[in-house]
Amino acid sequence: MTIPAEAQQAIRSFGISLEDYLLPVHGRVQQIQILDPSGHLLPEDERGSAPGHEYPIPPGEELLEAYRRLVIGRRVNDQNSALVRQGRMAVYPSSHGQEACQVAAALCLSEGDWMFPTYRDSVAVMSRGVDPVEAMTLFRGDWHGGYDPHEHHVGIQCTPLTTQLLHAVGVAHAAKLRGEDTVVLAMCGDGATSEGDFHEALNFAAVFHLPVVFFVQNNQYAISVPLAHQTVAPSLAHKAIGYGMAGERVDGNDAIALLAVLDRAVRLARSGSGPLLVEAHTYRMQAHTNADDATRYRADAEVQAWAAKDPLVRMREYLRGEGVLTDDVEASFAADAEEVARRLREGLGEDAAVDPADLFRFVFTEPTPQLREQAALLAEEVARDDISARDDIPGKEH
Amino acid sequence: MSTVAEAVAARAAASAGPEPLTFAKALTAAMADSLRADDSVVVFGEDIGTLGGVFRITDGLQEEFGEQRVFDTPLAESGIVGMAVGMAMNGLRPVLELQFDAFAYPAFQQILSHVAKMHNRTRGKVRLPMVLRVPYAGGIGGVEHHCDSSEAYYAHTPGLKVCTPATVADAYRMLREAIASDDPVVFLEPKKLYWTKDLVDLEALRAEFDAKPASSEGRAVVARPGTDATLIAYGPTVGTALAAAEAAAAEGRSVEVVDVRSIVPFDDETVTASVRKTGRAVVVAEAAGFASVASEIVARVQERCFHSLAAPVRRVTGFDIPYPPPKLEHWHLPSVDRILDALDDLQWED
Ligand SMILES: Cc1ncc(C[n+]2csc(CCOP(=O)(O)OP(=O)(O)O)c2C)c(N)n1
Ligand SMILES: [Mg+2]
């Protein structure tokens, strides 16, 4: 994200200057951070907020619950990665290192609100209340999704990048027309901000003045491609400006800062601010998925530098320092996490029965005559295979 | 013997002879040779630089040819294809990678409205020599959006050449021909073939291309000769068709397999000659059968071979459903058994 000197010169002599664009930070990209990496509160004037707009620290109970979910989220990530290695799942895009973003995304929403997650947001989906095994159906390979989006107001995890942002905009638009006070959290990654649908979604949300909070987890990479190849904007939060909305950048490994910023964003959106953009500055600690080899494109030193900013460690240190996270409480959180991991192991450890007839059941509300014909052909084939798989049939050749 | 043939033979004789090569490496070699032979060739897409592509098809190219000619773009498929249109208008020969079949869809506006039409709109004044490489189709246990068979969308769009190789040698040959073509080519790479290996004499293939850069373009080939029926297949299903022909031979039936290779243009001559000879035909394709390339082939064969046919031409295709999740895909994919069943159905008198 460096702008060549000649380009800076050109920008200065033409309309909105680079300085205007960078205001009020003048070269230093501001970022909301409340906890430092060792878990200590930063002095108020170093937390990145504009004077008079300081972010309050959420109440202790909320922080403790957030930490409980962080512990569970980390366990879920590591358990799922293990299940992939054991061949129990087809693929798992881990959010290891991004758990603070995942948990805050779930905690900032009220019951009637909606979340539109990506493939990487499984922990956020579970944290919102979706059953862990149902959430993993997609990656286990039984079906394209395993939960009912209406039950917890969570869109089906989306792979075609940023296409879900427009669905989020649509849900918010419908809510507005229906007089509901729903807020929609629209999630995507840093690389995805380059897609055309990102632009269309932000513009629609702004033009229709909709209660959408766009939440970009900038984990520095889109598979192998670093952020510097995606944009030369000073930050992704700055992209809001061109749409006439406000953007805020937040330390994505600081759960307290994330909760503070997302809570405010959701509250503002609910009270009629129109859309907002939140960029969380974080890091994808593991490879893109198990199929990827991150050593081909990034140095271990970089990964280690981010390991020192781990979102769990930071929160734990803070809560222990405050005296609210006792050994007993920690043990009970660990037990909760182990329980979720056990459910995942059990749920994914056995082969769920898959029914070939499902192939035809859901293509339309009612199968077409052609699909019924094809379903019958397959059923016949399956029955025949079942018979030929048996060797106790008289006359069957061996 | 012509001088060209002599030259080819001489270079082939000088080579080390056939060596084991993967389908993936054959594609890499085709791009490397094209980059070497023609300064106007540029290669770009998502993750194709440092990483060498998610399937490693561009592995080592950036290192060898530099970041000016082999580069990662921002993550935007419409951007990739649209920029390539402009580059092709201005003297370059872009070779693009669209990461997976279904992730080409954001670029459809550019592909359908511009890539396919520019030559026609400008009465031939603007040519778009570009190749859209698309890792394509299923059979690899991939989750949704990673296994689509999208050939019909492209084939239905006049102005696009569409082809798909089924062998390691064709991977090299056809990609070089596609890059050399002055028309835009949608180059579909069956993912499940990437890791297949064959004994290939790369030096002989190079000599063949240098001597005649479009010798196999637009041509189907008889992949296995036979006399009783013809299986017509392309890309991912050619191997399945060959296996079915092998199984049919064990049952005493001589089945010919035609590898279509080029969907657009379509080689009516080779396909028609085969079916006129055998009198029976089954088209095998992985894509959903409704309104498909397979339907088009059936129609063409029926129109041209009616008097030679002993039975209606059959199709074995994927069902008319969204591509299934990994645990269900084996029910969907055309299998040897399904092909044999279809062959049995061709009104044999014996
Ligand atoms: C339209 C589209 N193009 C390409 C892909 C393939 N793909 C999947 S994830 C990914 C990288 C996305 O990076 P980012 O948005 O930063 O999210 P992250 O994976 O880092 O969470 C790519 C290129 C896709 N899923 N959809
Ligand atoms: Mg990313």
Side-chain angles (χ1 to χ4, degrees):
Chain A
M1 286 194 281
T2 47
I3 300 176
E6 316 85 79
Q8 289 193 32
Q9 189 57 43
I11 292 166
R12 246 175 243 124
S13 64
F14 190 81
I16 299 167
S17 73
L18 192 61
E19 281 82 1
D20 292 339
Y21 185 54
L22 290 173
L23 273 175
V25 289
H26 296 292
R28 196 180 75 83
V29 175
Q30 103 189 23
Q31 157 168 309
I32 305 300
Q33 188 187 346
I34 294 176
L35 278 185
D36 73 12
S38 61
H40 295 102
L41 289 178
L42 285 163
E44 283 206 27
D45 60 347
E46 289 177 25
R47 291 182 190 169
S49 46
H53 296 282
E54 292 79 9
Y55 283 95
I57 295 178
E61 273 156 60
E62 192 180 330
L63 298 184
L64 210 54
E65 175 58 14
Y67 182 67
R68 191 180 77 87
R69 293 181 187 217
L70 285 176
V71 171
I72 295 173
R74 174 63 52 84
R75 189 73 188 88
V76 163
N77 276 327
D78 294 349
Q79 180 62 72
N80 285 340
S81 295
L83 285 164
V84 172
R85 286 193 297 275
Q86 294 154 21
R88 304 309 314 178
M89 280 202 280
V91 65
Y92 181 68
S94 174
S95 61
H96 188 120
Q98 300 174 226
E99 289 92 348
C101 299
Q102 297 285 301
V103 165
L107 282 174
C108 71
L109 298 176
S110 302
E111 210 181 316
D113 294 339
W114 272 82
M115 169 191 280
F116 278 85
T118 74
Y119 51 90
R120 197 172 302 288
D121 300 319
S122 303
V123 167
V125 167
M126 293 177 200
S127 199
R128 176 105 176 114
V130 172
D131 176 79
V133 177
E134 283 181 17
M136 283 304 103
T137 304
L138 163 64
F139 299 119
R140 177 195 201 168
D142 300 351
W143 200 252
H144 310 294
Y147 57 90
D148 174 1
H150 287 290
E151 192 182 341
H152 297 280
H153 290 183
V154 178
I156 191 163
Q157 281 181 266
C158 183
T159 300
L161 298 167
T162 62
T163 51
Q164 79 281 9
L165 301 183
L166 282 154
H167 309 163
V169 168
V171 165
H173 202 164
K176 183 179 168 181
L177 297 180
R178 290 157 56 109
E180 299 159 357
D181 73 342
T182 310
V183 173
V184 183
L185 188 76
M187 303 169 76
C188 75
D190 49 297
T193 63
S194 297
E195 290 280 6
D197 278 3
F198 178 80
H199 156 72
E200 297 187 19
L202 268 70
N203 194 46
F204 269 51
V207 166
F208 292 111
H209 200 71
L210 300 173
V212 181
V213 176
F214 293 97
F215 182 42
V216 181
Q217 288 168 79
N218 170 7
N219 63 8
Q220 315 301 328
Y221 285 91
I223 308 185
S224 70
V225 180
L227 186 65
H229 283 263
Q230 301 293 347
T231 182
V232 292
S235 82
L236 295 174
H238 278 74
K239 295 206 168 198
I241 295 168
Y243 299 98
M245 67 173 86
E248 185 82 284
R249 190 183 201 235
V250 55
D251 182 333
N253 288 16
D254 177 352
I256 295 184
L258 279 158
L259 287 169
V261 168
L262 284 171
D263 277 348
R264 178 178 291 175
V266 168
R267 197 156 31 77
L268 286 170
R270 204 183 310 284
S271 58
S273 69
L276 298 159
L277 173 62
V278 177
E279 172 197 359
H281 190 67
T282 181
Y283 196 75
R284 195 194 76 212
M285 292 301 294
Q286 296 180 342
H288 175 69
T289 67
N290 48 291
D292 176 37
D293 174 8
T295 62
R296 286 177 75 103
Y297 52 81
R298 66 186 191 186
D300 191 48
E302 181 186 293
V303 182
Q304 289 319 315
W306 277 92
K309 303 180 194 172
D310 188 275
L312 269 77
V313 172
R314 196 183 298 198
M315 191 69 161
R316 178 174 183 272
E317 291 307 312
Y318 172 71
L319 293 172
R320 293 222 42 126
E322 294 290 295
V324 287
L325 187 64
T326 60
D327 290 347
D328 286 353
V329 174
E330 272 207 271
S332 80
F333 288 1
D336 289 350
E338 208 37 57
E339 171 59 17
V340 177
R342 188 189 59 75
R343 291 225 316 272
L344 283 166
R345 280 195 306 274
E346 279 179 7
L348 303 174
E350 63 198 48
D351 277 322
V354 283
D355 182 358
D358 279 354
L359 290 175
F360 308 96
R361 265 190 194 123
F362 312 109
V363 183
F364 297 99
T365 48
E366 290 294 329
T368 59
Q370 289 72 32
L371 285 175
R372 279 202 294 273
E373 204 175 279
Q374 293 173 21
L377 276 173
L378 180 58
E380 209 175 280
E381 209 178 274
V382 172
R384 214 171 39 178
D385 285 359
D386 280 351
I387 290 171
S388 61
R390 285 170 51 189
D391 49 12
D392 58 343
I393 299 171
K396 184 173 181 267
E397 291 167 37
H398 289 272
Chain B
M1 215 183 180
S2 74
T3 49
V4 168
E6 277 166 20
V8 173
R11 266 178 73 180
S15 89
E19 284 182 52
L21 186 71
T22 61
F23 194 94
K25 286 287 167 224
L27 294 168
T28 314
M31 276 185 281
D33 288 350
S34 300
L35 281 157
R36 236 169 256 135
D38 183 348
D39 282 346
S40 68
V41 174
V42 287
V43 173
F44 54 91
E46 293 159 7
D47 300 287
I48 65 107
T50 315
L51 186 64
V54 293
F55 292 104
R56 307 289 185 266
I57 308 301
T58 55
D59 192 20
L61 296 183
Q62 187 174 64
E63 217 171 345
E64 182 174 350
F65 299 98
E67 290 181 21
Q68 298 286 315
R69 297 186 66 198
V70 179
F71 56 88
D72 287 328
T73 64
L75 213 178
E77 295 75 14
S78 177
I80 292 170
V81 176
M83 181 168 80
V85 169
M87 288 174 127
M89 287 175 73
N90 201 11
L92 298 185
R93 216 167 255 279
V95 180
L96 327 175
E97 177 173 303
L98 296 163
Q99 199 162 80
F100 281 87
D101 26 51
F103 303 144
Y105 301 158
F108 263 31
Q109 170 75 317
Q110 290 290 345
I111 299 173
L112 271 53
S113 299
H114 296 302
V115 176
K117 292 180 178 161
M118 191 65 83
H119 191 261
N120 190 56
R121 287 166 72 209
T122 62
R123 302 178 75 84
K125 292 190 177 62
V126 175
R127 292 184 174 180
L128 295 183
M130 54 196 274
V131 179
L132 287 74
R133 294 183 38 244
V134 186
Y136 142 85
I140 56 159
V143 292
E144 54 171 2
H145 315 296
H146 293 78
C147 298
D148 282 15
S149 285
S150 40
E151 67 268 30
Y153 307 134
Y154 301 113
H156 192 70
T157 305
L160 302 172
K161 285 183 175 169
V162 185
C163 65
T164 174
T167 68
V168 176
D170 266 352
Y172 179 86
R173 193 183 276 131
M174 290 170 67
L175 185 50
R176 286 220 66 183
E177 289 178 359
I179 297 171
S181 167
D182 281 343
D183 289 308
V185 180
V186 178
F187 191 85
L188 303 169
E189 303 172 358
K191 280 173 228 115
K192 72 171 185 192
L193 299 184
Y194 276 147
W195 305 283
T196 56
K197 249 187 199 162
D198 208 352
L199 284 175
V200 166
D201 188 341
L202 207 46
E203 206 40 53
L205 287 174
R206 285 184 178 122
E208 179 191 292
F209 175 82
D210 288 345
K212 217 168 164 233
S215 62
S216 86
E217 200 186 85
R219 304 295 300 177
V221 294
V222 174
R224 174 189 172 109
T227 53
D228 302 341
T230 303
L231 295 176
I232 304 162
Y234 54 85
T237 53
V238 172
T240 325
L242 286 167
E246 188 70 36
E251 294 171 8
R253 222 160 249 164
S254 165
V255 174
E256 181 149 303
V257 177
V258 174
D259 174 357
V260 167
R261 298 173 83 253
S262 172
I263 296 170
V264 181
F266 188 78
D267 182 358
D268 283 311
E269 201 182 314
T270 302
V271 171
T272 305
S274 174
V275 180
R276 284 197 183 138
K277 178 180 77 179
T278 61
R280 291 178 169 84
V282 177
V283 183
V284 187
E286 190 176 310
F290 198 89
S292 65
V293 169
S295 334
E296 175 64 25
I297 297 174
V298 171
R300 306 185 79 77
V301 169
Q302 228 116 242
E303 282 163 358
R304 285 166 178 74
C305 308
F306 185 74
H307 294 293
S308 315
L309 284 172
V313 180
R314 288 284 314 267
R315 274 175 297 169
V316 176
T317 66
F319 296 118
D320 298 325
I321 59 171
Y323 195 86
K327 296 230 171 115
L328 288 163
E329 74 176 348
H330 65 285
W331 297 113
H332 175 70
L333 297 169
S335 62
V336 168
D337 281 350
R338 270 186 210 152
I339 298 171
L340 291 175
D341 284 352
L343 281 170
D344 281 346
D345 255 14
L346 297 178
Q347 303 179 14
W348 303 88
E349 276 134 43
D350 48 41

